[in-house]
Amino acid sequence: NMSKALYARLLCHELLPLDVERAIAMDLGDILVFEDILGLWEEGDHLQPDELLAAASHRSQEESLRQTKPSELNGGVVLYEVSRMRQGNYTEDTLRAAIIGLEKGYQHFCVWDQDILNAMREDLWGLKGVRLLPCRWSIFPMANWQFFWNTPSFWLRELVERRRYP
C-alpha cells in the first residue's frame, strides 16, 4: 500500500498553491543531506524546457536483478518543476503510466511514485522529461546497502567524515 505522502508527490502540482513553482520531495527514513539543500534547489535552474523534474539515478545490483520494469530513477530525492507540471498533462501521464505498468505486467511493479516516474519516463516520454541529478544528491554506497544503512561501522569513510551529528 502506498501512503498518501507518496501519492501527494505525484500530484504536488495539483495540491500546492499556484504561487509554488518548484518543490523538493525526499524520503525521510533513508536520506542523509550533507550539503546545503539550496544546491539541490538550484538544479532546477539547469532543467531543459521539456524537463518536468530531476531525480536521482540508481542502478544497484539489486535493481539490475529486477530489470523486468523501468527502474533507472530513484524516487527518494526528486525536484519537481511544479509550474511546468501544471502546464502539461502530468496528471493524465501519471495515470497512463500506472495503467501501462500494470498492463505490461512489469514484475514488481507496485504503482508507487518511483515505478510511475520510471514508467512515465520510459514508456510515455521516450527517456525524456527528466533530468538525472548529479550523484552527490543520491549516493548508493554499495549493492544491497539496506543492511548496512543502520550499521555505521560498515559505512564508507566519506559518509562518516561528512556526518554532522553523533
Side-chain angles (χ1 to χ4, degrees):
N1 295 334
M2 188 160 90
S3 73
K4 291 177 185 177
L6 292 181
Y7 278 121
R9 291 178 184 197
L10 293 171
L11 297 173
C12 65
H13 62 294
E14 302 213 18
L15 299 172
L16 292 170
L18 292 176
D19 63 337
V20 175
E21 296 184 4
R22 185 177 291 165
I24 295 172
M26 288 186 171
D27 287 352
L28 296 176
D30 59 356
I31 299 292
L32 300 174
V33 177
F34 293 116
E35 294 186 30
D36 186 337
I37 201 164
L38 178 62
L40 175 57
W41 184 263
E42 291 172 343
E43 289 292 334
D45 297 337
H46 304 291
L47 293 176
Q48 298 299 312
D50 66 335
E51 293 173 330
L52 302 178
L53 56 99
S57 172
H58 72 116
R59 288 288 186 166
S60 68
Q61 181 180 1
E62 174 191 0
E63 284 300 312
S64 67
L65 297 174
R66 296 171 39 183
Q67 289 306 307
T68 59
K69 67 176 182 178
S71 62
E72 183 171 6
L73 303 176
N74 182 285
V77 177
V78 181
L79 175 77
Y80 292 99
E81 208 49 38
V82 177
S83 59
R84 292 182 189 180
M85 293 163 70
R86 288 186 184 115
Q87 295 167 7
N89 295 319
Y90 192 83
T91 302
E92 291 89 18
D93 284 354
T94 298
L95 295 171
R96 286 178 46 219
I99 291 167
I100 288 170
L102 293 170
E103 287 177 346
K104 286 190 171 187
Y106 288 140
Q107 192 173 16
H108 305 292
F109 190 81
C110 302
V111 197
W112 290 8
D113 62 327
Q114 180 169 300
D115 284 347
I116 291 171
L117 289 175
N118 278 292
M120 276 195 295
R121 181 174 181 258
E122 191 164 312
D123 293 323
L124 295 179
W125 299 343
L127 300 178
K128 296 181 181 180
V130 179
R131 176 183 178 80
L132 296 180
L133 286 171
C135 65
R136 73 177 179 273
W137 295 112
S138 192
I139 298 171
F140 296 88
M142 60 190 69
N144 299 320
W145 60 270
Q146 290 88 348
F147 166 77
F148 299 100
W149 191 254
N150 293 316
T151 314
S153 61
F154 287 106
W155 290 4
L156 294 174
R157 183 175 37 84
E158 293 86 353
L159 289 176
V160 174
E161 290 171 356
R162 298 191 74 183
R163 193 167 123 180
R164 294 184 186 170
Y165 58 89

